[in-house]
mmCIF file of all heavy atoms in Angstrom:
data_model
loop_
_atom_site.group_PDB
_atom_site.id
_atom_site.type_symbol
_atom_site.label_atom_id
_atom_site.label_comp_id
_atom_site.label_asym_id
_atom_site.label_seq_id
_atom_site.Cartn_x
_atom_site.Cartn_y
_atom_site.Cartn_z
ATOM 1 N N SER A 1 23.314 -0.169 -10.035
ATOM 2 C CA SER A 1 22.007 -0.775 -9.821
ATOM 3 C C SER A 1 21.366 -0.212 -8.550
ATOM 4 O O SER A 1 20.165 0.112 -8.552
ATOM 5 C CB SER A 1 22.137 -2.288 -9.724
ATOM 6 O OG SER A 1 20.863 -2.886 -9.629
ATOM 7 N N LEU A 2 22.150 -0.047 -7.499
ATOM 8 C CA LEU A 2 21.630 0.544 -6.252
ATOM 9 C C LEU A 2 21.204 2.012 -6.470
ATOM 10 O O LEU A 2 20.165 2.445 -5.976
ATOM 11 C CB LEU A 2 22.667 0.459 -5.134
ATOM 12 C CG LEU A 2 22.976 -0.933 -4.591
ATOM 13 C CD1 LEU A 2 24.147 -0.873 -3.611
ATOM 14 C CD2 LEU A 2 21.751 -1.531 -3.926
ATOM 15 N N VAL A 3 22.017 2.729 -7.231
ATOM 16 C CA VAL A 3 21.674 4.132 -7.518
ATOM 17 C C VAL A 3 20.388 4.202 -8.334
ATOM 18 O O VAL A 3 19.526 5.051 -8.076
ATOM 19 C CB VAL A 3 22.854 4.840 -8.227
ATOM 20 C CG1 VAL A 3 22.437 6.255 -8.665
ATOM 21 C CG2 VAL A 3 24.093 4.887 -7.322
ATOM 22 N N ALA A 4 20.217 3.305 -9.301
ATOM 23 C CA ALA A 4 18.976 3.266 -10.085
ATOM 24 C C ALA A 4 17.773 2.963 -9.203
ATOM 25 O O ALA A 4 16.695 3.552 -9.363
ATOM 26 C CB ALA A 4 19.077 2.243 -11.212
ATOM 27 N N LEU A 5 17.945 2.066 -8.228
ATOM 28 C CA LEU A 5 16.872 1.798 -7.263
ATOM 29 C C LEU A 5 16.548 3.039 -6.440
ATOM 30 O O LEU A 5 15.396 3.306 -6.135
ATOM 31 C CB LEU A 5 17.256 0.644 -6.326
ATOM 32 C CG LEU A 5 17.016 -0.750 -6.835
ATOM 33 C CD1 LEU A 5 17.679 -1.777 -5.911
ATOM 34 C CD2 LEU A 5 15.531 -1.029 -6.967
ATOM 35 N N TYR A 6 17.568 3.795 -6.112
ATOM 36 C CA TYR A 6 17.404 5.045 -5.364
ATOM 37 C C TYR A 6 16.474 5.989 -6.124
ATOM 38 O O TYR A 6 15.674 6.708 -5.525
ATOM 39 C CB TYR A 6 18.802 5.644 -5.160
ATOM 40 C CG TYR A 6 18.899 6.956 -4.477
ATOM 41 C CD1 TYR A 6 18.731 7.077 -3.100
ATOM 42 C CD2 TYR A 6 19.217 8.122 -5.193
ATOM 43 C CE1 TYR A 6 18.844 8.299 -2.450
ATOM 44 C CE2 TYR A 6 19.358 9.340 -4.554
ATOM 45 C CZ TYR A 6 19.178 9.415 -3.188
ATOM 46 O OH TYR A 6 19.314 10.626 -2.556
ATOM 47 N N PHE A 7 16.573 6.004 -7.446
ATOM 48 C CA PHE A 7 15.757 6.881 -8.287
ATOM 49 C C PHE A 7 14.417 6.252 -8.698
ATOM 50 O O PHE A 7 13.584 6.916 -9.321
ATOM 51 C CB PHE A 7 16.514 7.306 -9.541
ATOM 52 C CG PHE A 7 17.652 8.234 -9.253
ATOM 53 C CD1 PHE A 7 18.953 7.887 -9.595
ATOM 54 C CD2 PHE A 7 17.437 9.468 -8.660
ATOM 55 C CE1 PHE A 7 20.004 8.737 -9.330
ATOM 56 C CE2 PHE A 7 18.483 10.318 -8.399
ATOM 57 C CZ PHE A 7 19.784 9.960 -8.732
ATOM 58 N N LEU A 8 14.212 5.000 -8.370
ATOM 59 C CA LEU A 8 13.032 4.248 -8.843
ATOM 60 C C LEU A 8 11.724 4.986 -8.621
ATOM 61 O O LEU A 8 10.969 5.266 -9.556
ATOM 62 C CB LEU A 8 12.979 2.864 -8.176
ATOM 63 C CG LEU A 8 11.743 2.022 -8.466
ATOM 64 C CD1 LEU A 8 11.878 1.415 -9.855
ATOM 65 C CD2 LEU A 8 11.587 0.933 -7.433
ATOM 66 N N LEU A 9 11.407 5.285 -7.372
ATOM 67 C CA LEU A 9 10.118 5.877 -7.062
ATOM 68 C C LEU A 9 10.028 7.336 -7.506
ATOM 69 O O LEU A 9 8.946 7.807 -7.913
ATOM 70 C CB LEU A 9 9.809 5.758 -5.581
ATOM 71 C CG LEU A 9 9.680 4.305 -5.084
ATOM 72 C CD1 LEU A 9 9.417 4.270 -3.595
ATOM 73 C CD2 LEU A 9 8.611 3.556 -5.830
ATOM 74 N N ALA A 10 11.147 8.057 -7.468
ATOM 75 C CA ALA A 10 11.121 9.448 -7.925
ATOM 76 C C ALA A 10 10.801 9.518 -9.421
ATOM 77 O O ALA A 10 9.966 10.341 -9.850
ATOM 78 C CB ALA A 10 12.457 10.122 -7.638
ATOM 79 N N VAL A 11 11.434 8.665 -10.197
ATOM 80 C CA VAL A 11 11.159 8.666 -11.639
ATOM 81 C C VAL A 11 9.707 8.335 -11.893
ATOM 82 O O VAL A 11 9.018 9.025 -12.656
ATOM 83 C CB VAL A 11 12.104 7.698 -12.390
ATOM 84 C CG1 VAL A 11 11.647 7.474 -13.824
ATOM 85 C CG2 VAL A 11 13.548 8.193 -12.346
ATOM 86 N N GLU A 12 9.202 7.301 -11.241
ATOM 87 C CA GLU A 12 7.813 6.928 -11.436
ATOM 88 C C GLU A 12 6.875 8.072 -11.044
ATOM 89 O O GLU A 12 5.951 8.430 -11.792
ATOM 90 C CB GLU A 12 7.483 5.686 -10.584
ATOM 91 C CG GLU A 12 6.039 5.218 -10.751
ATOM 92 C CD GLU A 12 5.765 3.978 -9.928
ATOM 93 O OE1 GLU A 12 6.240 2.905 -10.331
ATOM 94 O OE2 GLU A 12 5.102 4.101 -8.875
ATOM 95 N N ARG A 13 7.138 8.664 -9.899
ATOM 96 C CA ARG A 13 6.274 9.739 -9.399
ATOM 97 C C ARG A 13 6.277 10.940 -10.355
ATOM 98 O O ARG A 13 5.209 11.473 -10.696
ATOM 99 C CB ARG A 13 6.753 10.167 -8.010
ATOM 100 C CG ARG A 13 5.943 11.284 -7.406
ATOM 101 C CD ARG A 13 6.448 11.611 -6.019
ATOM 102 N NE ARG A 13 5.583 12.600 -5.409
ATOM 103 C CZ ARG A 13 6.015 13.494 -4.547
ATOM 104 N NH1 ARG A 13 7.288 13.531 -4.177
ATOM 105 N NH2 ARG A 13 5.183 14.363 -4.013
ATOM 106 N N PHE A 14 7.450 11.368 -10.780
ATOM 107 C CA PHE A 14 7.526 12.596 -11.576
ATOM 108 C C PHE A 14 7.116 12.382 -13.014
ATOM 109 O O PHE A 14 6.567 13.285 -13.636
ATOM 110 C CB PHE A 14 8.902 13.255 -11.461
ATOM 111 C CG PHE A 14 9.152 13.767 -10.075
ATOM 112 C CD1 PHE A 14 10.143 13.204 -9.282
ATOM 113 C CD2 PHE A 14 8.382 14.773 -9.537
ATOM 114 C CE1 PHE A 14 10.368 13.654 -8.006
ATOM 115 C CE2 PHE A 14 8.596 15.220 -8.238
ATOM 116 C CZ PHE A 14 9.601 14.680 -7.458
ATOM 117 N N VAL A 15 7.345 11.219 -13.576
ATOM 118 C CA VAL A 15 6.896 10.964 -14.936
ATOM 119 C C VAL A 15 5.369 10.851 -14.989
ATOM 120 O O VAL A 15 4.719 11.379 -15.879
ATOM 121 C CB VAL A 15 7.569 9.725 -15.545
ATOM 122 C CG1 VAL A 15 6.920 9.323 -16.880
ATOM 123 C CG2 VAL A 15 9.064 9.984 -15.740
ATOM 124 N N LEU A 16 4.788 10.181 -13.968
ATOM 125 C CA LEU A 16 3.348 9.959 -13.980
ATOM 126 C C LEU A 16 2.535 11.118 -13.404
ATOM 127 O O LEU A 16 1.406 11.358 -13.825
ATOM 128 C CB LEU A 16 3.008 8.682 -13.207
ATOM 129 C CG LEU A 16 3.567 7.389 -13.786
ATOM 130 C CD1 LEU A 16 3.197 6.193 -12.914
ATOM 131 C CD2 LEU A 16 3.061 7.167 -15.212
ATOM 132 N N GLN A 17 3.097 11.847 -12.406
ATOM 133 C CA GLN A 17 2.309 12.883 -11.755
ATOM 134 C C GLN A 17 2.879 14.287 -11.890
ATOM 135 O O GLN A 17 2.154 15.261 -11.668
ATOM 136 C CB GLN A 17 2.191 12.574 -10.258
ATOM 137 C CG GLN A 17 1.564 11.249 -9.953
ATOM 138 C CD GLN A 17 1.740 10.869 -8.482
ATOM 139 O OE1 GLN A 17 2.641 11.357 -7.818
ATOM 140 N NE2 GLN A 17 0.889 10.024 -7.995
ATOM 141 N N GLY A 18 4.140 14.388 -12.186
ATOM 142 C CA GLY A 18 4.772 15.695 -12.298
ATOM 143 C C GLY A 18 4.918 16.084 -13.750
ATOM 144 O O GLY A 18 4.084 15.771 -14.589
ATOM 145 N N ARG A 19 6.000 16.749 -14.011
ATOM 146 C CA ARG A 19 6.343 17.112 -15.394
ATOM 147 C C ARG A 19 7.764 16.631 -15.608
ATOM 148 O O ARG A 19 8.664 16.983 -14.843
ATOM 149 C CB ARG A 19 6.261 18.623 -15.599
ATOM 150 C CG ARG A 19 4.891 19.244 -15.425
ATOM 151 C CD ARG A 19 3.926 18.899 -16.552
ATOM 152 N NE ARG A 19 4.377 19.226 -17.891
ATOM 153 C CZ ARG A 19 4.199 20.382 -18.501
ATOM 154 N NH1 ARG A 19 3.584 21.371 -17.904
ATOM 155 N NH2 ARG A 19 4.661 20.563 -19.725
ATOM 156 N N SER A 20 7.987 15.863 -16.627
ATOM 157 C CA SER A 20 9.310 15.300 -16.907
ATOM 158 C C SER A 20 9.612 15.460 -18.389
ATOM 159 O O SER A 20 8.735 15.306 -19.243
ATOM 160 C CB SER A 20 9.354 13.834 -16.512
ATOM 161 O OG SER A 20 9.107 13.686 -15.154
ATOM 162 N N PHE A 21 10.880 15.763 -18.655
ATOM 163 C CA PHE A 21 11.312 16.013 -20.024
ATOM 164 C C PHE A 21 12.594 15.228 -20.286
ATOM 165 O O PHE A 21 13.354 14.934 -19.368
ATOM 166 C CB PHE A 21 11.563 17.512 -20.227
ATOM 167 C CG PHE A 21 10.359 18.343 -19.929
ATOM 168 C CD1 PHE A 21 10.187 18.896 -18.659
ATOM 169 C CD2 PHE A 21 9.383 18.563 -20.887
ATOM 170 C CE1 PHE A 21 9.058 19.662 -18.370
ATOM 171 C CE2 PHE A 21 8.264 19.333 -20.607
ATOM 172 C CZ PHE A 21 8.096 19.877 -19.332
ATOM 173 N N VAL A 22 12.805 14.885 -21.554
ATOM 174 C CA VAL A 22 13.997 14.135 -21.936
ATOM 175 C C VAL A 22 14.678 14.772 -23.128
ATOM 176 O O VAL A 22 14.058 15.497 -23.908
ATOM 177 C CB VAL A 22 13.658 12.647 -22.268
ATOM 178 C CG1 VAL A 22 13.209 11.901 -21.011
ATOM 179 C CG2 VAL A 22 12.618 12.551 -23.372
ATOM 180 N N ALA A 23 15.986 14.504 -23.197
ATOM 181 C CA ALA A 23 16.771 14.814 -24.388
ATOM 182 C C ALA A 23 17.014 13.498 -25.085
ATOM 183 O O ALA A 23 17.431 12.508 -24.465
ATOM 184 C CB ALA A 23 18.105 15.450 -23.977
ATOM 185 N N VAL A 24 16.713 13.437 -26.381
ATOM 186 C CA VAL A 24 16.854 12.216 -27.174
ATOM 187 C C VAL A 24 17.828 12.454 -28.301
ATOM 188 O O VAL A 24 17.652 13.373 -29.107
ATOM 189 C CB VAL A 24 15.486 11.751 -27.721
ATOM 190 C CG1 VAL A 24 15.630 10.482 -28.534
ATOM 191 C CG2 VAL A 24 14.489 11.556 -26.589
ATOM 192 N N GLY A 25 18.876 11.633 -28.360
ATOM 193 C CA GLY A 25 19.858 11.717 -29.436
ATOM 194 C C GLY A 25 20.082 10.338 -30.033
ATOM 195 O O GLY A 25 20.183 9.357 -29.283
ATOM 196 N N ASP A 26 20.133 10.257 -31.330
ATOM 197 C CA ASP A 26 20.323 8.979 -32.020
ATOM 198 C C ASP A 26 19.282 7.938 -31.576
ATOM 199 O O ASP A 26 19.578 6.774 -31.390
ATOM 200 C CB ASP A 26 21.731 8.438 -31.803
ATOM 201 C CG ASP A 26 22.808 9.327 -32.403
ATOM 202 O OD1 ASP A 26 22.519 9.939 -33.459
ATOM 203 O OD2 ASP A 26 23.895 9.432 -31.803
ATOM 204 N N GLY A 27 18.055 8.409 -31.336
ATOM 205 C CA GLY A 27 16.953 7.510 -31.003
ATOM 206 C C GLY A 27 16.943 6.990 -29.566
ATOM 207 O O GLY A 27 16.160 6.095 -29.246
ATOM 208 N N ARG A 28 17.785 7.546 -28.681
ATOM 209 C CA ARG A 28 17.782 7.059 -27.295
ATOM 210 C C ARG A 28 17.837 8.250 -26.318
ATOM 211 O O ARG A 28 18.385 9.322 -26.642
ATOM 212 C CB ARG A 28 18.908 6.100 -27.028
ATOM 213 C CG ARG A 28 20.281 6.687 -27.090
ATOM 214 C CD ARG A 28 21.380 5.626 -26.959
ATOM 215 N NE ARG A 28 22.669 6.265 -26.828
ATOM 216 C CZ ARG A 28 23.408 6.294 -25.743
ATOM 217 N NH1 ARG A 28 22.977 5.735 -24.641
ATOM 218 N NH2 ARG A 28 24.574 6.911 -25.702
ATOM 219 N N VAL A 29 17.276 8.046 -25.145
ATOM 220 C CA VAL A 29 17.268 9.065 -24.096
ATOM 221 C C VAL A 29 18.685 9.236 -23.577
ATOM 222 O O VAL A 29 19.327 8.267 -23.161
ATOM 223 C CB VAL A 29 16.308 8.694 -22.962
ATOM 224 C CG1 VAL A 29 16.405 9.676 -21.805
ATOM 225 C CG2 VAL A 29 14.860 8.614 -23.460
ATOM 226 N N VAL A 30 19.175 10.480 -23.607
ATOM 227 C CA VAL A 30 20.532 10.756 -23.108
ATOM 228 C C VAL A 30 20.527 11.736 -21.934
ATOM 229 O O VAL A 30 21.562 11.985 -21.320
ATOM 230 C CB VAL A 30 21.458 11.279 -24.234
ATOM 231 C CG1 VAL A 30 21.580 10.235 -25.349
ATOM 232 C CG2 VAL A 30 20.986 12.618 -24.780
ATOM 233 N N GLY A 31 19.356 12.307 -21.629
ATOM 234 C CA GLY A 31 19.241 13.229 -20.515
ATOM 235 C C GLY A 31 17.802 13.296 -20.054
ATOM 236 O O GLY A 31 16.866 12.996 -20.808
#
């Protein structure tokens, strides 16, 4: 949970303002 908080703002920033990509397997994000 602490590690996820560590990534909180980075994920928001890069998904909304940067370029972000995902790998999806069996209908869920795995990367």
Side-chain angles (χ1 to χ4, degrees):
S1 185
L2 291 173
V3 174
L5 276 170
Y6 177 75
F7 290 120
L8 175 77
L9 297 179
V11 169
E12 181 178 286
R13 180 179 185 211
F14 293 115
V15 170
L16 296 178
Q17 301 168 338
R19 297 289 305 272
S20 299
F21 303 93
V22 293
V24 179
D26 296 325
R28 67 186 188 109
V29 174
V30 299

